[in-house]
Amino acid sequence: MSDQPGIPDAESLGREPRSIAILGAGGDLTERLLLPGLGKVAELAGGLDLTLIGAARTPQSDEEWQRLVRRSLEAAEIAPGAVDALAKAARFVGTDASDPAELKALLDACPSSPVLYVALPPAMGHEVAESLAQLELPDDLVVAIEKPFGEDLDDARALNEALAAVIPEERLWRIDHFLGNATVLGMLGLRFGNRLLEAGWNAEQIEKVEIVFDEELGLEGRAAFYDSTGALRDMLQSHLLMVLALTALERPERITADEVHDRMAEVLGAVRLWRDDPHTARRARYTEGRIDGRFFPSYVDEDDVDPANRIETLAQLLLQVDTPRWEGVPFVLRSGKAIGSPRAEVAVHFRGSVPPEGLGGADAGAGTVLRMSLLNGDVDLDLFVNSADDTDRLERVQLEARPDEAELDAYGQVLAGILAHDRLLSVRGDIAEQCWRIVTPVLNAWAADETPLEEYEAGSSGPADW
């Protein structure tokens, strides 16, 4: 599959029979992401003995579920052999996850080692835990639960406690598919595989770090979810804080799940709002506009949006990391929708240097920037060199690295990790709680309407003064 650290290869997946029961099988996530990810894992592994069991309150026949599985895999251009094998072994079990008897029937329907994949809203996590607590569970049961993990810090703690009472941490996967992005894990290789960068990865050399995920997309039919979530909860609280942790952590002795998770928890425990001020965070939502000729109505005019919720479509946090390595370095996290100049990257801004007398140019003395794309792993590094035509003048050039495209997408990587019992791509419970701790003062300030909800035109780069 991939030589990325921690990503399992085909052999490590084994050939033992496995069952994956998907609670929430009727949702968009299952058809659009989960099934294609599993299909690609099966294709690259040369086949898996895998039973896919769909589960949802709304019943359907095995044949209907098999057609959905086949449609999803074919749309993802999975090899026909893998499509046939997975579709033929697919079954459907109508299940109310809050009913212990129905959840037991679902687990009993798994013919082999079961993975219970909870692709349901956060509130349902508690109901699943309560139902599991009333059952005698298989010793090899694995539970995977989608983010957001809880709805706030107290809820995440309560959910952690409820799940800990029924299943050990080593068999619980909290899913944040950003960790399966080869680019994100590639930060480990970039930092610790290059002495030049590792030596300069500190406050003495770095002025600022930006972690940005701005996209052209609007709601795309997800208004019911988004209008109860917003950009801060959807992107910054989970995805971008995971990226920050991997960008700022101390060197692990080995790339193992325990070692990397320890270092991630350690650095997130040192993260707080800039000067502890929640008003350094900013929020905005888009008004009507156009992107590449496509019209976007104002967010408040989108179907299934309640303007009274005052949900943001663009959020920005200013953070600090209270460790000697990062003292005084601001970390800017930002994500927005309907942005006309999309940007998805980690940008590390190095401090400038003073060239000797006799070397000049418009940018002489300015800092350079290392950029790592969060979409495809491209790496760009600015450098200053002498101009070929004027050796007394410095000019900025760019070094480019274009890694091979990953064979598995982010969901495929995470699912392969579950099947291979490799927990590197799982979010540990204390890490999930730290992420909520960091954003809680901002959520409280926004709930009290202490921070202005600004506006920006769809297709712009955001409010003019951001």
Side-chain angles (χ1 to χ4, degrees), residues 98-121:
S98 64
D99 185 327
E102 293 194 15
L103 195 54
K104 181 179 186 303
L106 174 63
L107 295 176
D108 288 345
C110 295
S112 50
S113 297
V115 176
L116 182 65
Y117 199 108
V118 184
L120 296 171

Side-chain angles (χ1 to χ4, degrees), residues 262-278:
D262 284 348
R263 300 288 79 75
M264 291 176 71
E266 180 180 82
V267 74
L268 286 172
V271 173
R272 59 187 175 95
L273 299 177
W274 189 257
R275 297 172 181 164
D276 290 322
D277 184 0

